[in-house]
Amino acid sequence: MAYIEFDDSLRVGNRVIDQEHEMLISYINLLQKAVENKASSGIVEKVVDGLVDYTKTHFFVEEELMKAYAYPDMDSHMLAHEKFRQQANALVESLAKGEAVDLPAVLAFLKQWLTAHILKIDARFADFLKDKSMS
Ligand SMILES: [Fe+2]
Ligand SMILES: [Fe+2]
């Protein structure tokens, strides 16, 4: 069983956003496998880099949609993204420097953060887009 199952409970009803969330979850599942299989630090670093890059792209897509549709909760949603971006950058930096990183704790954080963000913050935005016939 995957570390995070992407099923209907995580779908927000917007085709593009759902596809990107599924991809993000694939990256987290890949990282979990790499950690479980005690992959080399080089592999772990590559998977984390891929995950962080894709996350930034995904945030950009959501943020551009929020701006295009003048989403009223844009500021708080973008702030949540920004906090995550900072944590992700710190993680990438630590790995690049070869610092000891508690990867199981990182995975638990990623799982908790992403599922909570999707269910609370992205779902609200997707509902707004549905009202604008943008699903
Ligand atoms: Fe978001
Ligand atoms: Fe999202």
Side-chain angles (χ1 to χ4, degrees), residues 17 21 58-59 62-63 66 77-78 80-81 113-114 117-118 121-123 125:
I17 293 175
H21 287 163
H58 169 61
F59 286 174
E62 284 187 357
E63 287 166 11
M66 285 188 246
H77 194 152
M78 282 170 70
H81 286 177
W113 189 92
L114 187 63
H117 185 85
I118 289 174
I121 295 177
D122 289 342
F125 178 46

